[in-house]
Every structure is written in C-alpha cells, then in structure tokens.
Amino acid sequence: MMQADIRSMEVNPAKLAMLFRKQFELCNIKQGETIAIVSDLGTRREYIQAAFAAADELGADIYEMCVNQIPGWTKVGVPTVGQCKGTLEALMACDMVLIFHVPLFAKWLKQVMNNGVRVQMIIDAPDDLEQLQSPPGLKEAVLYAHGIYEKTKSVHVTSKAGTDLHYSCGEYPVMSQYGMADEPGRFDHWGVGLIHTFPNEESAHGTVVMQPGDVIILPYCRYVVDPVHLTIEAGHITKIEGGLDATLMREWLKDGEDFAGDPDPYAVSHLGWGLNPQCRWDSIALYGEGPERSRAASRCFPGNFLFSTGPNTQGGGKRTTRGHYDVPMRDCTISLDGTVVVEEGRLVDPKMIVPRVRR
C-alpha cells in the first residue's frame, strides 16, 4: 500500500500529553495520587508516554503494568489481571487504573471498583480522544437520564422498520458513562456518553428489526446491509431471520455456546441509548471499519438505541458468555413508563440534549 493511501492522523502527536492532562483533570487526579497503567502488547507507546508526562505535570505518581497478552476487541470478559501474583493487590492499592483494553465483565474489575479505585478505559484512536472528549454538560445530561431510567419499570421500543420490544427494569442497576472516571469506584470510557441497564430476567419480549445503516459495533465494525428480524421470548432470542447479517449473527452467537443448546449467548443483555453529541453515526463511513475508530464514536451517537446480547455479570448477573453482540440502532422510539424520551432516533427531552463542540 502506498503511503498516500493511508489515512493520516489529524491530531498533532505533540498534543497527546495535553489531551491526557485534560483527561486526568476531568478525572480529578490530584497531586500525590497514584495511577496504575494496565497496558498490553498492543498498546500504543505514545499513549503511555503521554500519560507519564501528564501525570508528572499534575504531581501524580504513575507506573505501568504490561500484561503478556494482546486482548482482542471480541474477547469480552477474558481476565488480564489477577493470575500473576501481586497484580490485583497492586491495583487495589492505587487511586486510578488507566487501562488500554476492555476489562468489562471480568471479575477483577468489580473487585477493584468496590475498593474505591477509579478505572479509566482508553481504547480509541488519537483523533477520537480529541474529538470525543467529554464536552461541557454531558455529565449532567447523562446523570439526568440515569435518574429517569433508574425509576423506570417498563420500557417499550418501536421503529418503523418493525421493532416492537418490551422489557421491565429494576432487577439490575442502571449504568452510565460520561467519559471520565471522576469519582471513587467509577468505571468510564474516554469518548463515550450513554446509559444502559440489564432487563429483568425473562422480561424482554417482542421483535427487534435491525435495518440497513444500524451499526454492529461488536464483534464486527460494519453497517447492517440487509434487515435482521429477531424474535425475543422470555428474555432470549428464539429466531434470527434475514440475509447476510442474520447469518453472521447466528454464526457468532453459535460459536459463543459453551455446550450444545447453551442459551446464554442469545440472552438480551444491556439496553440503553447514546447521548454524546461528539459521536457520529457515520464514523465508519468516514474513517473505515477499524475498531479503534469506532468503539466510542459508533456506540454513543445521540438517540441511538443500544441493543445487545450475552453476558450480564457487570450488572450483577451470572451470565459470563463470550457470545456478546452490540448494535447501536437508528430511528427507534424509546418510551419509559409511557413517556417518550427518544423519538425516531432523536432525543426529545431538552435536559438530555448537549450542544456539540466543534474541534
């Protein structure tokens, strides 16, 4: 491939330390606190250098713990910490963990958070760290939406494409992310802005129709190209119908079965919606299908309905399956106890709407 064919990074590499310093300030890092980096064999070295420089500027102590793995985007829940003696104990003693791969659904993450340690995940490209960094008002909008979702008992999601999904809430906590781990025991992902919860067991039922233009963000990074019809009964997908995208989904979830007939990959997992105005639905069209450019941008664009399958241990459940599927869906209407908060893919509550910052 010719060098001219490679899309250039737009952010000045020299600005990375400045971006990391701003992120640490958003995370309320103070002089004398300790930051533990959990990196891996695939982590960008310029991120480590920028983190070190930013911590020095703020008077914080920082060190790196590199795990002997290259954790894949698709290997959700695979532990990277705790098997080597002393690693978990070290993270339990720091003030903030800065992790460069996905720790969600891993047992050690909950242990560290329960000990009051902040956990900041960074898994996106340099341009996205700049463009998607939490804008003014996002935290307040997310927490407002969190409070409403927390009081919700019944949710109804519809779309002109044919989605007609019902589920109940309250059994599991609402989980929200606004891009910064700024409080003790908080996990967050630099660049996001969303809320979700896990539906009450066996409560989800109805139909979900993925339409062309919806985004399969995990395990693939691609737009849906043909409709996928899901039949959901008692909290599980019982039928997957359609063309290529339906086949991909069936094959992936089948591969996630631990035994013949394992229902866990087909269980409905976290459900919620995006709120970060910095995130773009068209990021894959603009920047390609590389996961590093889509992990936050495609997941959190305002008003998407985030549908997923598989594990629920992050919310306190027992499912640990690797059969995880994440699909931010466009043009859905979300009704909470009869009140519409998202109408045909657009946020309608003014308190959830945050102005986009041009960067």
Side-chain angles (χ1 to χ4, degrees):
M1 180 180 290
M2 296 177 61
Q3 188 68 28
D5 291 333
I6 301 173
R7 186 182 292 273
S8 300
M9 185 172 76
E10 295 179 4
V11 66
N12 184 338
K15 289 180 64 176
L16 279 176
M18 298 164 56
L19 288 172
F20 271 75
R21 173 171 178 155
K22 180 179 179 181
Q23 188 65 24
F24 286 173
E25 290 172 340
L26 290 173
C27 291
N28 290 325
I29 291 295
K30 305 298 183 185
Q31 183 175 357
E33 289 192 310
T34 296
I35 303 169
I37 291 176
V38 179
S39 62
D40 57 72
L41 299 177
T43 300
R44 288 175 175 262
R45 293 313 302 171
E46 62 266 34
Y47 282 2
I48 307 302
Q49 295 162 357
F52 282 170
D56 281 347
E57 286 290 312
L58 295 174
D61 298 316
I62 188 168
Y63 68 92
E64 179 185 7
M65 179 191 300
C66 183
V67 300
N68 187 25
Q69 295 184 43
I70 301 183
W73 173 234
T74 60
K75 296 178 180 177
V76 175
V78 177
T80 56
V81 171
Q83 295 177 347
C84 293
K85 296 176 181 178
T87 53
L88 179 59
E89 290 78 4
L91 299 186
M92 296 278 275
C94 72
D95 296 290
M96 186 172 83
V97 172
L98 197 66
I99 188 162
F100 290 92
H101 50 262
V102 181
L104 295 172
F105 303 104
K107 181 180 178 181
W108 73 264
L109 176 61
K110 190 171 184 179
Q111 292 176 281
V112 167
M113 292 169 61
N114 286 345
N115 207 46
V117 178
R118 316 193 295 273
V119 181
Q120 178 70 70
M121 182 172 73
I122 304 174
I123 57 172
D124 295 272
D127 288 344
D128 293 309
L129 298 188
E130 179 184 47
Q131 292 298 321
L132 309 184
Q133 195 167 44
S134 187
L138 180 60
K139 176 179 178 179
E140 292 76 12
V142 168
L143 292 180
Y144 170 76
H146 180 119
I148 292 177
Y149 209 15
E150 207 166 39
K151 298 173 184 176
T152 298
K153 301 299 182 184
S154 178
V155 182
H156 187 201
V157 183
T158 60
S159 75
K160 291 180 178 178
T163 292
D164 189 2
L165 175 69
H166 295 262
Y167 61 94
S168 300
C169 302
E171 186 174 345
Y172 296 106
V174 172
M175 309 182 83
S176 57
Q177 296 174 23
Y178 43 76
M180 47 190 168
D182 59 345
E183 298 175 357
R186 179 171 184 80
F187 169 88
D188 221 308
H189 172 183
W190 182 344
V192 302
L194 79 165
I195 66 168
H196 67 254
T197 191
F198 299 88
N200 294 356
E201 294 294 340
E202 300 187 351
S203 71
H205 63 279
T207 303
V208 169
V209 180
M210 302 175 197
Q211 62 177 327
D214 290 342
V215 185
I216 303 169
I217 193 63
L218 194 153
Y220 318 110
C221 285
R222 54 176 277 136
Y223 293 115
V224 172
V225 297
D226 49 20
V228 180
H229 294 255
L230 306 179
T231 300
I232 298 173
E233 300 173 351
H236 289 75
I237 298 170
T238 58
K239 190 180 296 183
I240 304 173
E241 299 175 290
L244 171 62
D245 285 297
T247 301
L248 286 170
M249 187 174 192
R250 277 195 301 267
E251 293 292 329
W252 177 259
L253 297 183
K254 179 69 175 177
D255 189 63
E257 294 182 11
D258 287 333
F259 54 86
D262 180 8
D264 285 358
Y266 306 93
V268 176
S269 186
H270 57 78
L271 305 172
W273 63 93
L275 294 110
N276 189 351
Q278 306 300 119
C279 296
R280 304 180 62 121
W281 162 75
D282 59 359
S283 63
I284 291 178
L286 283 169
Y287 307 121
E289 297 179 347
E292 197 184 35
R293 291 308 309 264
S294 303
R295 289 166 177 156
S298 295
R299 181 184 302 275
C300 300
F301 60 91
N304 84 75
F305 172 61
L306 180 59
F307 175 82
S308 73
T309 75
N312 67 350
T313 51
Q314 195 65 27
K318 298 179 180 179
R319 292 195 305 272
T320 57
T321 178
R322 291 163 125 195
H324 192 41
Y325 223 78
D326 272 2
V327 187
M329 299 172 59
R330 303 177 71 222
D331 302 331
C332 290
T333 295
I334 305 172
S335 178
L336 310 181
D337 292 332
T339 300
V340 173
V341 293
V342 176
E343 185 171 15
E344 296 185 1
R346 297 289 182 268
L347 297 167
V348 296
D349 189 325
K351 293 184 179 180
M352 294 187 196
I353 300 172
V354 180
R356 184 181 177 195
V357 177
R358 297 285 180 178
R359 292 171 175 159

